[in-house]
Amino acid sequence: MLVTSLTKSISEISGNRDTNLSNDFFLPKGEQMENIISIKDVFYKYPGSDNYAVNGISLDIKANEWISIVGKNGSGKTTLTRLIDGLEECESGTIEIDGVVTDEETIWDARKKIGIVFQNPDHQFVGATVEDDVAFGLENQGMPREQMINAVDNALKMVDMQDFKKRDPQSLSGGQKQRVAIAGVLAIKPQIIIMDESTSMLDPEGRKTVINLIEQLRSEQNLTVISITHDIEETQLSDRIIVLNSGKIVKDTDPADLYNLGPQLTEFGLEEPFTNLVAAGLTDLIDFKGYITEEGLIDKLCELNLKR
Amino acid sequence: MRIEFEKVTHSYESSNPMSGLGLANVSCTIESGQFTAIVGKTGSGKSTLVKHINALLKPTSGTITVGDHQITPETDNKNLKPLRKKVGMVFQFPESQLFEDTVEKDIMFGPKNFGFTEEQAKEAASKMIEVVGLGPDYLTKSPFDLSGGQMRRVAIAGVLASDPETIILDEPTAGLDPVGRKEIMDLFKAQQSRGKTIILITHNMDDVANYADKLMVMHDSHLVGQGTPKQVFNDQELLNKNYISLPQSAVFAQKLAAKGFTFDQLPITISELTAEIKQQIHGD
Ligand SMILES: Nc1ncnc2c1ncn2[C@@H]1O[C@H](COP(=O)(O)OP(=O)(O)OP(=O)(O)O)[C@@H](O)[C@H]1O
Ligand SMILES: Nc1ncnc2c1ncn2[C@@H]1O[C@H](COP(=O)(O)OP(=O)(O)OP(=O)(O)O)[C@@H](O)[C@H]1O
Ligand SMILES: [Mg+2]
Ligand SMILES: [Mg+2]
């Protein structure tokens, strides 16, 4: 859906989503879309800190969903994903991954289902060469060597980094590091991929290519995608947006609904979509309130242009 | 400070054939007091280019002139302090420039290194932490116990605190929330109006259109285009070769153009775009 939606309007996307939900409703029990992640009343504060970085969060994420997590710097986005992956332990509350509540014992199985691309790719690298690095996760899975060589090549090809196999990851450019970090996670074919601002240093076209790639894998491999991002264009394409503020969920909705908030978005550190800003500069021509899609705005302007 | 690159080539570890060229025969001039943006695809040589301005990298051949300093292949690491005092740099990954055990010490490091007294450095730190949108509470924290965007802000504060004449910013807004991004970009613009020379690497073409006086385009280690943002974003050859991406206003104008609007030149900011639309619809 996301691939084609680059040229589709948001209303179509959310339309599709509603259809999914209602189909789901009529399915017999047991075949309903399952929650791959279920978070209940989770609290967490860093050692020595007075404030809760995650301050009472409950959240269900369905298998195959694409959700964006947005919010101000320091609002708790990264911390939440570290809790999901068991890198930090909740002070209270529970996290269920694929039907199993995670604890010291179950977290190892849960973690095999999750691939995280960290905010800083340098934290991801363990190998001395790019190919070793991508192979690392596969070795852990016990993949036979022959198969591994292929899998590494494939993953590097997906992000267009096959020519850099023998390089030390530390010597790559910023965007190249981000691509290799993504390859390392894609190679292990996780059920859930968490991307923590993993395209923030890619050029605009590279960013679109990666987003399209993830979307393609989502439909082919039933991947669930959790993307932390400050990129408004990417959020406009997702099924659902979660807004965090001071460790709490303050909005859980679809893009059109969120962007209807208009100037109030700045309270959450967000900006208005481009089309809203253009329309706001044309108030003497068009009368509108809230969110307007690109197609909607172009149609309105063309109508006026023909009338003149 | 005026900066001039003369036929600068940089090859990483020339002994290792796997590492390609970082810069290929780049010549350009950056005028004093200008706001220059550098764009280009992943791996095109942007970071390599700017690291030559404060001699973090030395050219394999060619010369860089920064004010009255000259950097050549023979330049050694002695006597670089006067140059580095004048040229501050915010690195692409903020963590690579944070190392002290408190945020305050971290911000004070640059000023002290460049001759501020302890007291002046402390004062600079408490001023800069506010300027980058973090409160004084942050001064006593460890810079490593911060979120990604908070680290980025501390790194920026640290560079601005020593008040360098030329400020190099390597993707300084990656990881900032959109409101923060705008505030920080406005901060850089304000530094320019105080007479500073600003050099910004970015993938955000709207920021280029809104803030820069001049734009340079890198591709495959070569400088392939330069001019005002308006000129470069209207350069058909660069667009056809797919060397640049356009600001949102220009993309939107192209879509309107496909449906009967006409634009002599692509508008690059929202105010240019809305002015053009109004003019065409009102027909005046
Ligand atoms: N290792 C740590 N020790 C102590 N406090 C921390 C640590 N890491 C983060 N924090 C604090 O916890 C809060 C949440 O941080 P988190 O990294 O989850 O934010 P974020 O939403 O990911 O922000 P950003 O957009 O800047 O990456 C912040 O106030 C931050 O200062
Ligand atoms: N230390 C190094 N050793 C070998 N090659 C390097 C080194 N640093 C950079 N390179 C290579 O030089 C080329 C230019 O890198 P540079 O970091 O200047 O790119 P960039 O334009 O800043 O890219 P990005 O937008 O991804 O940060 C890249 O192909 C990179 O892999
Ligand atoms: Mg974060
Ligand atoms: Mg770079």
Side-chain angles (χ1 to χ4, degrees), chain A residues 6 47 49 51 71-75 78 119-123 161 163-167 171 173-179 197 200-205 207 230 232-233 265-271 273-275 277-279 281-285 294 297-302 304-305 308, chain B residues 12-13 16 18-20 40-44 47 92-96 138 141 145 147-153 170-171 173-181 203-206 242 244-245 248-252 255-256 259-262 269-270 273-275 277-283:
Chain A
L6 282 171
S49 172
N51 302 318
K72 284 184 196 158
N73 292 135
S75 56
T78 297
Q119 190 163 2
N120 182 344
D122 286 334
H123 293 175
M161 285 297 291
D163 296 343
F164 295 80
K165 270 201 295 206
K166 303 285 179 200
R167 282 270 296 276
S171 79
S173 81
Q176 290 168 342
K177 283 181 181 175
Q178 285 193 326
R179 285 170 183 262
E197 301 185 34
S200 65
M201 287 176 186
L202 299 187
D203 53 83
E205 205 179 318
R207 188 177 289 196
H230 295 296
I232 191 166
E233 204 176 333
L265 288 162
T266 55
E267 282 172 34
F268 308 127
L270 306 173
E271 66 189 333
F274 170 75
T275 45
L277 298 174
V278 174
L282 295 171
T283 42
D284 43 344
L285 287 180
E294 186 177 86
L297 183 57
I298 290 176
D299 286 349
K300 267 198 174 124
L301 293 174
C302 287
L304 287 169
N305 200 31
R308 98 187 130 96
Chain B
Y12 284 102
E13 305 161 53
N16 180 356
M18 285 312 290
S19 358
K41 300 220 156 101
T42 291
S44 58
S47 297
Q92 189 162 5
F93 292 100
E95 266 173 283
S96 57
Y138 284 87
K141 289 187 200 267
D145 290 350
S147 78
Q150 290 165 342
M151 281 185 199
R152 171 74 71 188
R153 290 167 196 252
D170 196 346
E171 302 190 33
T173 60
L176 293 185
D177 60 62
V179 169
R181 193 187 87 228
H203 291 302
N204 188 318
M205 302 304 146
D206 295 322
N242 205 10
I244 47 169
S245 303
Q248 295 189 80
S249 297
V251 175
F252 191 80
K255 289 180 183 163
L256 287 179
K259 297 202 166 181
F261 281 78
T262 49
T269 63
I270 290 180
L273 172 68
T274 52
I277 293 173
K278 280 184 201 167
Q279 205 189 26
Q280 289 193 38
I281 290 180
H282 289 316

Side-chain angles (χ1 to χ4, degrees), chain A residues 31 60 170 175 178 218 236 245 266:
Chain A
E31 281 182 42
D60 287 336
Q170 298 304 335
Q178 285 193 326
R218 175 166 81 130
Q236 282 177 281
N245 206 24
T266 55

